[in-house]
Amino acid sequence: MIRDEYARFMQTLAVDGVSEGVRKVANLVHDHLDVIQPLGTQQGQRVKRVIQLAQANWLALATGIAVQAVEVAENVVPIVRLKNLSVGPFRGFAREEVFDLDSPLVLIYGPNGTGKSSFCEALEYGLLGNVAEAESKRFRRQEDYLTNAHVGRFTPPVIEGVDAQGTVKPLVANEAQYRFCFVEKNRIDSFSRIAAHAPARQTELIASLFGLDEFNEFVRGFSGEMDGRYIDLIGAKRQQLQEKRLALAGHKQTIETNQAALVDLTAEEIALATQYKPEIAFADFVTELGTDTAPGEIVTLETELQQVTPLQSGVTLQALIDVEHSIGAAYEGLSTKLAELAQASEAVSFKQLYTAVTVLSEASADHCPACKTPLNQVANNPFELAARELEKLEHLSQLEQERDGFNDALGEAIKAVAQILSVATEQIDGAANPNPLRAYRVAKDSGLSWAWWQSLQAAGGDATAWQELQAQVQVLELRDLGIAQIIAAREPTQARLNLLRDYARQALVLQTRRISLEKGILDATTAIQTFDEENQGLINEVEAEQAVIAINQKIAASYAVFVGRLTAYKESLPSQLVADIGDGVVALYNAFNRYDEEHDLLAALKLPLAPGQRIEIAFRNDPNRNFDALHVLSEGHIRCIGLAILLAKNLKEKCPILIFDDPVNAIDDEHRASIRLALFKDDYFIGKQIILACHGNEFFKDTHQLVGLKAAKESESYIFRAQKDEKHIQVSSLARPVNYVLAAGELAANGEFRDALMSARRALEGICTKVWTHYLKHGGGAISVTQRAPGAPIDLRVLADKLACEIRKATFVIKNRDVILASLQSILGPNGQHPHWVYLNKGTHEEEDRDEFDQVVVAEIVHSLVQLDEALS
C-alpha cells in the first residue's frame, strides 16, 4: 500500500517546475523504500539513512520519474466478477485450496479463528499485490507475513476472472483498479473512534478509512529538513582553513602590535640608560653594568664588598663599671635585709607557725589541730588567733620580698659580668698566649655565685682578674671603634651596588621584553611566509571538498522540497478520496437507517477535506442547519457513515466486486437488517459481485433468506470449520442449502418430509415479512394484527390471513398480486384445519405414531413457497 501510494505521489513530480534534485530524492526513497520505511524521526534515523544513500549515489540517481504508478488499465476489458481462487500455502492454508467464486454472491461463514481473514487476505494479495495488515504489523517483507508457519512456504494466490463477454482470464494484481473493492471491519472500527481525536487528525482518519494510515505514518517519519547535525553544508575542511586563516590574521596583528611595543620599549631603554649616565646608549649601559662575558662595575663592587669585616664585640668599659656598681648596690641591700630578718627571727618563727595553723583550717574545721579540743570548748579559737597574728606580722613578708629582690638583682649582675668575660675570652685568645680569664669561665649559670664574683677580686699576681677583665674590655672597645669606621666607609659602596643592581634588574626586564617581542615578530613572520606551504594539503582538500559541499547543499535543498511536496500530497489525499461522493454517502446512510424517524435521516453531509475541518451533517427536517456529526451522532451511526463512505467510493469507482470482511463485527445489531437490505435488495449494488465473510451464523442464515430462492441457489457458500488435528484451514461447501425454500425443496425431493415441512414453516415466517414489505412498497398502509398475550410473538396464521386479506382488498396495483394470493391461499386453505396448514404445524412439532405425510401435499406446500419467493424477488 505504501509503495503503490508513493508511486502515485511520484507522478506529481513528473511535471515542469520540479527540480532534478527533488526527483533524485524521490527516486532514491523509492529504490530503498524497504530500508527507509521502518526508520523514523527519533535521533534522525531516517534522515541520516537518506543522507548516507544520497551521498553514495547522488550523481548516478535518475533525474526522471521512471516509476509508473499502477493505474486502472484503460485498454483492458474489465472483469465483471471473480471466477475462482487457488490459494496455499498462504497464511493459514498449509496446502492448496480451490474456491469456486463464479457467482454474484459468495458467502463465507466460520467462527472466529477458522481462517476467514486468510481467505480475504488471499483475495487482497491477488487483487492488489500486497496485504495492508503486513505493513501495519511492521513486516519488512510481505512474504514473511504471508508464509504458512507450519510448512514454511508461501505461494502467491492465483485468481481468475470473467469479463463482460464471458471470457475467463487470469487476473493481474492492480492496486489502483481494485483498491476500493475491499471493506474491512478494522478500518470502520478506527473511523468510529474518530471522536476521540483532535480535529486536525480527522482528515487523516478519513484517509485511514481507505487503508492509508500506514502511508500517513510513513510520511510523518520524514524530518522536515536536513541541517548541520546530519550533513556537512559548510565544509569541515573549509571551516578548518578559515580558522587557520584567522590565526594568520592574528599573526599579522602580532607583528603590528609587537613593532609598536618595540618603539615604546626603545624609549624606555633610553630613559633608563640616561638615568645611569647622560648621553649613553642602552647597549653601552648594559655593558658597563656587566655581562656574562664582560664583568662590569657590579662585579667589581661585589668583589670589594665581599672582603670579610671583623665582628664587633659590643662591650664597653662603662657597661662593665655599671655592672660593678649594680653588684655593690645589690649586695649592700641584701645584707641589710638579711640583718633585719635576723633580728626578727622569733617573729619569723611565729609567722611560720601561724601560717601552718591557717593551712590546717580546712582539715580541722571543728577542733584544735594541736590538742584536738573542740573549738566550742577552747579559750581562743586557734584559727582566728592565727589570722589576727599574721596581720600583725605582715611587715615580715615585705622584708622577705625585698630580700628576694636584692638577691635576684645580684644574680643578674653577676651573670652580666660572666657574659662580658665570655666575650673577652672569645675575642682575645690565642694558642701561643691563652687568655688568663679562661679559668673563670663557667659552663652553666648554676656555677655563678657571690664566691665566683669574689674570686675575680682576689689578688693573683700583678693584677686581679677583675682588673684584667677591665683592661681587655678597653681593648675590645677600641677595636669596635675601628670596625665601625670600616663599616661606615663601606656604606657608599653598598649604596652604589644597590643602585646598580636595580638598574640591572630593570634592564633585564626590558631585555626580556625585547626578546619576547622580537621572537613574536619572527615567529609570526615565519608563519605567514610558510602558511601556504604548510597548509598546501588542507588547501587542496578544501578545493576537493567544494564539489562535495555543493552536492550536500543540493541534497539538503532538494530533500526539503521533496518532504514539503510529499506532506502536501498526503494532506490532499482525503479530498481526492471523498470527492463527489457526498450524495452517495447520504443515500446509503439513510438506507442503513431506513427504520429511523424521518427527522433523523440526513439531507446533506460534508466531509473534512482539509486539516481542522469536521464532518458536518444536516437533517431532513432542517436542511439549512449544519451540525458536527461527532457531536450529535452515536458510535453506531458513525460506523454507518464510515461504511457508507467506503461503499459510496466502491460505487463511484464502478468496482465490479465488493469484498466485505466480517460485517457482524463492523456493524451493530440495530443496523444489520437495513444494511443487508441495502446490499442485497436495494438497487445500489445490482450487477456487482459481493463476497462476504462473517462469523455470525444467524447473519449468514438471514442473508440466505433475504436474497431469495433464485439468488441463494446461484450463490456460492463455504463454511470454515475449527481446526482439529491438521494445521490447515478446514473448508467445506454447504451440505444442504441455507435458504429455507431451497432446503425444503431438496429435503422433499429426498423423501425427508418432516424436515422439509420444518424448513417450509421457517420459510413462510420469513416470506410473510417479505409480503408485508412488498405490500407497503406498493402503497399499502399499516396492518393490525392481534397477539395472544403481551409479549407473545405474532401468530403466523393470523399474520398470513391478515396479509392475504389486505392484499385482496387493495385498490392499488400490487405487482404479482394474483400469484401471491394464490400461493398464500394454497398454504392457508379455508381454515386452520386445511391439510397444508396442519402439515406445517405437524412437521414442526414432535409427535409419535402419527400418520405418514402425503408427499403430494408436501410438494404443493413447497411449490407454493417457491412461487411466493419468486413473486417477491
Side-chain angles (χ1 to χ4, degrees):
M1 187 68 74
I2 292 176
R3 185 175 294 277
D4 292 331
E5 197 60 52
Y6 184 77
R8 279 189 284 273
F9 156 71
M10 291 183 68
Q11 306 314 301
T12 66
L13 305 180
V15 296
D16 295 337
V18 178
S19 69
E20 292 183 351
V22 174
R23 293 174 182 169
K24 283 189 173 188
V25 174
N27 284 322
L28 180 145
V29 172
H30 179 271
D31 294 343
H32 300 88
L33 193 62
D34 292 339
V35 175
I36 293 173
Q37 186 265 328
L39 305 176
T41 58
Q42 185 178 9
Q43 298 179 344
Q45 293 179 353
R46 182 177 292 183
V47 71
K48 288 178 182 177
R49 187 61 171 152
V50 171
I51 290 171
Q52 181 184 18
L53 294 169
Q55 289 176 328
N57 303 283
W58 186 253
L59 296 179
L61 287 171
T63 58
I65 302 301
V67 177
Q68 296 297 321
V70 179
E71 300 293 348
V72 177
E74 296 181 358
N75 58 345
V76 176
V77 178
I79 64 168
V80 294
R81 68 181 181 276
L82 303 183
K83 173 71 173 176
N84 53 59
L85 165 68
S86 297
V87 54
F90 180 94
R91 293 286 284 146
F93 294 97
R95 62 174 184 271
E96 185 182 30
E97 289 284 349
V98 179
F99 293 87
D100 184 357
L101 307 178
D102 193 12
S103 171
L105 176 62
V106 179
L107 296 173
I108 307 292
Y109 161 70
N112 285 331
T114 54
K116 300 184 304 301
S117 293
S118 293
F119 170 81
C120 291
E121 287 174 345
L123 290 175
E124 184 178 0
Y125 190 86
L127 292 171
L128 308 183
N130 62 73
V131 175
E133 190 69 12
E135 291 182 354
S136 65
K137 291 183 177 178
R138 305 297 185 186
F139 279 84
R140 294 182 62 178
R141 297 174 66 251
Q142 292 265 336
E143 291 78 2
D144 294 338
Y145 175 77
L146 302 175
T147 297
N148 180 270
H150 299 287
V151 300
R153 289 186 295 113
F154 156 72
T155 300
V158 176
I159 301 177
E160 290 184 330
V162 179
D163 62 18
Q165 287 71 40
T167 304
V168 177
K169 58 178 62 177
L171 190 145
V172 179
N174 187 306
E175 191 265 350
Q177 188 163 8
Y178 301 114
R179 61 190 297 207
F180 301 114
C181 291
F182 292 86
V183 176
E184 295 184 8
K185 65 179 185 302
N186 292 338
R187 298 176 186 176
I188 297 175
D189 288 340
S190 297
F191 184 82
S192 69
R193 293 190 291 270
I194 193 172
H197 296 276
R201 292 208 59 200
Q202 291 184 17
T203 51
E204 293 185 13
L205 287 174
I206 292 293
S208 73
L209 191 63
F210 292 94
L212 295 174
D213 46 350
E214 292 301 320
F215 178 74
N216 288 347
E217 192 66 27
F218 166 70
V219 174
R220 282 194 293 268
F222 285 97
S223 302
E225 60 181 14
M226 295 177 179
D227 55 35
R229 293 175 299 171
Y230 309 119
I231 188 170
D232 188 359
L233 300 174
I234 299 174
K237 298 297 182 182
R238 178 170 173 265
Q239 193 169 7
Q240 184 179 349
L241 182 61
Q242 286 179 339
E243 291 175 356
K244 288 196 171 187
R245 291 195 185 279
L246 289 176
L248 201 64
H251 291 319
K252 294 179 180 178
Q253 183 63 40
T254 297
I255 293 173
E256 294 177 3
T257 302
N258 287 12
Q259 287 175 342
L262 284 175
V263 173
D264 296 337
L265 180 62
T266 300
E268 293 182 44
E269 291 173 340
I270 294 172
L272 181 61
T274 304
Q275 289 180 21
Y276 172 75
K277 184 188 297 184
E279 304 298 331
I280 188 173
F282 181 76
D284 296 336
F285 159 65
V286 172
T287 301
E288 289 193 11
L289 290 179
T291 63
D292 293 339
T293 58
E297 186 178 359
I298 290 178
V299 174
T300 302
L301 294 178
E302 286 177 342
T303 303
E304 180 181 340
L305 291 174
Q306 285 174 358
Q307 300 298 322
V308 178
T309 303
L311 296 176
Q312 290 179 303
S313 64
V315 297
T316 63
L317 180 61
Q318 184 60 46
L320 184 62
I321 294 172
D322 290 342
V323 170
E324 182 183 12
H325 290 162
S326 298
I327 292 173
Y331 181 76
E332 182 179 354
L334 178 61
S335 298
T336 302
K337 298 305 175 182
L338 288 173
E340 291 178 359
L341 287 171
Q343 294 176 357
S345 59
E346 183 180 353
V348 170
S349 299
F350 277 108
K351 179 177 180 294
Q352 293 173 348
L353 174 63
Y354 293 144
T355 300
V357 171
T358 303
V359 171
L360 293 171
S361 63
E362 294 181 1
S364 302
D366 55 353
H367 57 270
C368 176
C371 63
K372 304 303 181 180
T373 303
L375 294 183
N376 57 0
Q377 296 179 11
V378 298
N380 287 303
N381 187 312
F383 303 119
E384 294 177 355
L385 177 62
R388 289 194 299 272
E389 291 302 323
L390 284 174
E391 288 179 1
K392 294 177 182 180
L393 297 174
E394 181 67 27
H395 68 285
L396 292 177
S397 297
Q398 182 64 32
L399 285 175
E400 290 175 342
Q401 292 178 3
E402 291 175 354
R403 177 201 62 192
D404 295 339
F406 283 123
N407 189 52
D408 293 340
L410 180 61
E412 291 297 322
I414 292 173
K415 183 177 179 182
V417 173
Q419 291 175 345
I420 294 173
L421 186 144
S422 177
V423 171
T425 56
E426 290 176 357
Q427 295 283 334
I428 303 173
D429 197 12
N433 297 302
N435 193 320
L437 295 177
R438 289 180 64 85
Y440 296 93
R441 292 185 63 172
V442 294
K444 296 180 179 180
D445 291 345
S446 60
L448 299 175
S449 64
W450 177 254
W452 179 81
W453 165 253
Q454 286 183 323
S455 69
L456 294 178
Q457 305 298 324
D462 296 336
T464 65
W466 176 251
Q467 290 172 336
E468 179 64 29
L469 179 60
Q470 287 178 324
Q472 290 186 15
V473 167
Q474 282 183 314
V475 172
L476 292 174
E477 186 174 2
L478 290 174
R479 184 188 294 176
D480 285 350
L481 289 174
I483 294 172
Q485 290 176 354
I486 294 173
I487 292 173
R490 295 177 66 171
E491 286 181 358
T493 303
Q494 184 65 50
R496 175 66 176 173
L497 178 61
N498 292 341
L499 176 62
L500 293 179
R501 282 176 174 171
D502 185 58
Y503 281 145
R505 180 187 59 76
Q506 295 183 58
L508 180 62
V509 171
L510 296 179
Q511 286 177 305
T512 303
R513 284 172 55 194
R514 177 173 288 279
I515 291 172
S516 177
L517 293 172
E518 290 177 346
K519 185 177 185 302
I521 292 173
L522 178 61
D523 292 345
T525 302
T526 303
I528 292 173
Q529 292 173 347
T530 61
F531 180 85
D532 288 347
E533 180 181 350
E534 292 178 351
N535 294 279
Q536 188 60 50
L538 180 60
I539 292 172
N540 293 338
E541 289 176 352
V542 170
E543 292 176 355
E545 185 184 55
Q546 293 305 308
V548 176
I549 298 304
I551 289 176
N552 286 355
Q553 290 172 346
K554 288 180 181 179
I555 292 172
S558 300
Y559 173 85
V561 176
F562 162 79
V563 173
R565 294 185 72 98
L566 181 60
T567 302
Y569 176 82
K570 172 185 73 74
E571 293 177 352
S572 70
L573 279 178
S575 61
Q576 298 176 28
L577 292 170
V578 299
D580 302 326
I581 66 171
D583 292 341
V585 174
V586 170
L588 287 168
Y589 175 87
N590 289 338
F592 298 160
N593 294 274
R594 67 186 69 207
Y595 300 122
D596 287 0
E597 297 294 334
E598 180 71 13
H599 59 79
D600 288 331
L601 300 180
L602 300 184
L605 177 141
K606 181 180 179 182
L607 294 170
L609 304 180
Q613 293 183 353
R614 292 179 177 271
I615 301 176
E616 295 182 359
I617 58 174
F619 294 103
R620 284 183 175 178
N621 63 331
D622 191 1
N624 296 320
R625 183 183 180 188
N626 290 332
F627 294 90
D628 181 350
L630 304 182
H631 184 66
V632 299
L633 295 182
S634 67
E635 182 178 337
H637 287 88
I638 293 296
R639 286 175 178 270
C640 289
I641 287 182
L643 177 59
I645 291 173
L646 291 174
L647 295 182
K649 186 67 174 178
N650 180 279
L651 293 172
K652 181 179 182 299
E653 297 296 328
K654 297 182 174 57
C655 297
I657 314 161
L658 175 61
I659 301 171
F660 205 152
D661 182 12
D662 211 346
V664 177
N665 280 341
I667 308 163
D668 56 18
D669 295 339
E670 179 184 350
H671 295 95
R672 286 175 191 162
S674 294
I675 291 174
R676 276 199 303 270
L677 289 172
L679 289 173
F680 304 116
K681 284 301 181 182
D682 293 344
D683 297 336
Y684 301 112
F685 301 98
I686 292 176
K688 190 182 297 289
Q689 184 184 34
I690 298 178
I691 302 175
L692 188 149
C694 70
H695 80 276
N697 185 262
E698 291 301 309
F699 188 92
F700 183 71
K701 177 264 296 181
D702 291 342
T703 301
H704 271 273
Q705 311 317 313
L706 178 65
V707 298
L709 181 148
K710 183 176 183 297
K713 189 174 183 179
E714 294 174 352
S715 69
E716 292 291 342
S717 296
Y718 293 94
I719 296 178
F720 283 40
R721 304 187 309 276
Q723 298 180 16
K724 293 183 179 180
D725 297 332
E726 185 182 14
K727 296 298 183 181
H728 173 71
I729 295 174
Q730 304 297 311
V731 184
S732 63
S733 298
L734 295 179
R736 66 178 54 174
V738 177
N739 180 276
Y740 291 140
V741 178
L742 283 178
E746 183 174 309
L747 288 166
N750 293 334
E752 299 178 54
F753 301 129
R754 173 175 290 279
D755 289 342
L757 291 170
M758 179 179 63
S759 294
R761 182 179 177 89
R762 292 175 176 174
L764 182 60
E765 290 172 349
I767 287 176
C768 282
T769 301
K770 292 183 179 181
V771 172
W772 196 345
T773 303
H774 189 76
Y775 170 73
L776 294 173
K777 180 179 179 180
H778 289 83
I783 295 177
S784 299
V785 181
T786 59
Q787 289 178 287
R788 294 180 180 179
I794 298 174
D795 185 85
L796 180 60
R797 172 79 191 195
V798 172
L799 176 59
D801 280 336
K802 189 66 174 178
L803 288 171
C805 179
E806 293 297 329
I807 292 174
R808 187 181 299 109
K809 295 189 305 181
T811 59
F812 47 87
V813 176
I814 300 177
K815 184 179 179 180
N816 297 330
R817 180 207 304 252
D818 294 339
V819 176
I820 294 171
L821 283 174
S823 298
L824 283 175
Q825 193 61 48
S826 174
I827 294 172
L828 293 172
N831 56 58
Q833 297 305 312
H834 187 270
H836 296 72
W837 189 258
V838 172
Y839 269 33
L840 286 176
N841 285 328
K842 295 294 184 179
T844 301
H845 306 295
E846 178 59 29
E847 183 181 1
E848 295 183 1
D849 299 327
R850 71 169 309 283
D851 295 335
E852 295 298 325
F853 293 106
D854 186 343
Q855 61 178 337
V856 175
V857 175
V858 174
E860 290 177 353
I861 292 173
V862 173
H863 177 69
S864 297
L865 290 173
V866 170
Q867 287 187 312
L868 272 174
D869 186 274
E870 291 176 348
L872 296 169
S873 296

